[in-house]
Amino acid sequence: MDDTGEIKLQLRKLTKHEHVEIVLRGNSAIQSALSIIPPGKAILIPEEGGWLSYKTIPQKLGLLVVEVKCKDSELDVADLQEKLVRQQPGALLYQNPGGYFAEQPIKEMYELCQKHNCLAIMDVSGSIGTKLCDGRYADILVGSFGEWKLVEAKMGGFVSCRERSLFEKIAPSLQELEDEE
């Protein structure tokens, strides 16, 4: 098995997702994940504890960004539920842990998203390799391998999906990392 195959094998174990691809950057992972949401649809993001790209990437894709209230970077589940009902968003994009320190109620949030037909996209750049990176409670996981991340390869990132059908929808937009180093 080559290095890329070994890395994907390890990512499958760490994410609990079978469908994985290594991409150019964490931001390209987010863009690929959001590429399947129809333009004009709302995307929910946390008001605290996320990345600037959580606002800019959806806007570039013609998506409406709606912030979910937080308390010390933890998403407010009641506000999430209200926005799921009112906005009928295409996805929730958030980081676990929020702001690299606030553990999110991922199971509760995932169940709410499933109930309201909303994809749960969890950024696990700050939790991969820990119990907080649990792909059972996300449709899509994204992560960065950039400098100062838990997996510090100085470049690249990944996308993983629970379901093959979802991965196949995302696949055409993936910018695969081909740098063997």
Side-chain angles (χ1 to χ4, degrees):
M1 181 180 302
D2 67 358
D3 289 343
T4 302
E6 181 61 32
I7 293 167
K8 288 181 182 179
L9 180 65
Q10 292 304 315
L11 285 170
R12 286 182 185 102
K13 289 178 185 176
L14 293 170
T15 63
K16 299 178 182 68
H17 281 179
E18 196 58 34
H19 314 286
V20 175
E21 188 56 71
I22 300 167
V23 296
L24 291 176
R25 306 182 54 205
N27 280 348
S28 64
I30 293 169
Q31 185 165 331
S32 293
L34 293 176
S35 72
I36 62 172
I37 308 298
K41 196 88 166 147
I43 299 298
L44 302 179
I45 65 168
E47 69 177 358
E48 303 172 351
W51 292 101
L52 293 175
S53 59
Y54 290 7
K55 286 185 182 181
T56 59
I57 292 172
Q59 291 170 344
K60 288 179 191 173
L61 296 172
L63 302 168
L64 174 67
V65 175
V66 177
E67 292 184 348
V68 177
K69 292 178 186 173
C70 295
K71 181 173 184 194
D72 297 326
S73 297
E74 182 181 327
L75 280 137
D76 179 318
V77 175
D79 191 54
L80 171 62
Q81 182 167 358
E82 177 191 326
K83 290 192 167 117
L84 284 165
V85 170
R86 193 165 29 104
Q87 299 289 332
Q88 299 178 351
L92 166 65
L93 169 62
Y94 72 100
Q95 182 181 36
N96 192 33
Y100 282 105
F101 65 87
E103 184 174 349
Q104 302 289 3
I106 62 174
K107 183 178 181 193
E108 186 176 5
M109 292 174 11
Y110 182 66
E111 289 170 353
L112 280 172
C113 285
Q114 291 295 290
K115 180 179 175 184
H116 293 281
N117 200 28
C118 174
L119 290 175
I121 304 171
M122 186 184 344
D123 182 340
V124 295
S125 299
S127 63
I128 192 159
T130 75
K131 69 179 179 99
L132 302 180
C133 175
D134 192 337
R136 296 176 300 171
Y137 303 113
D139 298 298
I140 302 169
L141 296 177
V142 296
S144 171
F145 301 146
E147 205 166 17
W148 304 303
K149 303 293 188 213
L150 290 179
V151 177
E152 185 178 344
K154 303 218 182 337
M155 65 176 355
F158 78 94
V159 176
S160 70
C161 296
R162 282 175 56 102
E163 304 293 332
R164 175 183 290 281
S165 60
L166 190 55
F167 188 76
E168 288 172 352
K169 288 179 187 177
I170 291 171
S173 70
L174 293 172
Q175 297 176 329
E176 294 178 36
L177 181 64
E178 296 180 12
D179 183 340
E180 287 297 320
E181 291 186 39

